[in-house]
Amino acid sequence: MYQVYKIMNDDTLDSLASRMNTTSSELIRLNGLKDFNIGDLIVVPSDDLYFSYIVKNGDNLYSISKMYDQDIDILYAINGIKKGDYIYPNQEILIPRDGVSIYMTNDGDTLESISNKIGSSISDIVKNNSNLVLIPEQAIVYKRA
């Protein structure tokens, strides 16, 4: 789900976000960025699980969720958007690719119980989710068989 990237000479936060199919705000959130320096290592989302959608005038998260047959709560979670927040034209929204699903954890979930519920091995869950803490409402990414 994530990979490490070394910041290069011509990188800007916006160009890197575009190339990695994410948003500048997501890179800042993932890395707690205050500075962006050549040679620094940062965490970026792997681009094989999501694609980005550029918000157009008149879009809302509900219409986007219906357009791509996605649960709106999943889109809120993976984009760091709170219910009631606005989205804006030209904003990038991450959408799970075909074959990728998201499981939202519940109180008391374990890796074993999640594995049984979604039909994915524990090793695949760990591989696709680098920051597992299993708190309620954590998004767990998995590939459907």
Side-chain angles (χ1 to χ4, degrees):
M1 180 165 145
Y2 298 99
Q3 62 188 8
V4 176
Y5 177 82
K6 184 176 182 178
I7 299 172
M8 307 303 274
N9 235 0
D10 295 330
D11 286 335
T12 66
L13 195 56
D14 289 335
S15 69
L16 183 58
S18 177
R19 203 166 59 248
M20 297 295 173
N21 293 319
T22 189
T23 63
S24 299
S25 60
E26 179 65 3
L27 291 177
I28 291 168
R29 186 191 70 76
L30 281 173
N31 294 282
L33 288 177
K34 303 219 183 321
D35 297 303
F36 190 80
N37 300 306
I38 295 168
D40 285 351
L41 298 176
I42 63 170
V43 174
V44 296
S46 294
D47 60 353
D48 63 333
L49 299 174
Y50 305 100
F51 66 92
S52 62
Y53 172 81
I54 305 299
V55 175
K56 297 171 185 55
N57 282 331
D59 280 344
N60 59 55
L61 211 53
Y62 178 78
S63 65
I64 295 169
S65 73
K66 293 302 171 200
M67 185 183 331
Y68 290 102
D69 194 27
Q70 294 291 326
D71 184 306
I72 192 170
D73 291 327
I74 298 298
L75 295 183
Y76 279 123
I78 66 174
N79 287 286
I81 300 171
K82 294 180 179 145
K83 290 183 180 179
D85 283 354
Y86 291 101
I87 59 173
Y88 301 94
N90 299 319
Q91 180 178 348
E92 288 183 68
I93 302 291
L94 295 178
I95 310 286
R97 291 191 183 278
D98 286 340
V100 173
S101 291
I102 310 289
Y103 171 79
M104 300 302 289
T105 58
N106 298 299
D107 193 30
D109 273 342
T110 65
L111 282 176
E112 184 175 357
S113 69
I114 294 169
S115 172
N116 291 334
K117 287 176 188 175
I118 66 176
S120 187
S121 71
I122 291 174
S123 62
D124 283 343
I125 294 169
V126 171
K127 180 178 120 188
N128 289 325
N129 299 276
S130 61
N131 203 12
L132 286 171
V133 290
L134 298 183
I135 57 174
E137 298 185 16
Q138 180 180 9
I140 303 293
V141 178
Y142 65 98
K143 293 183 180 180
R144 291 187 299 256

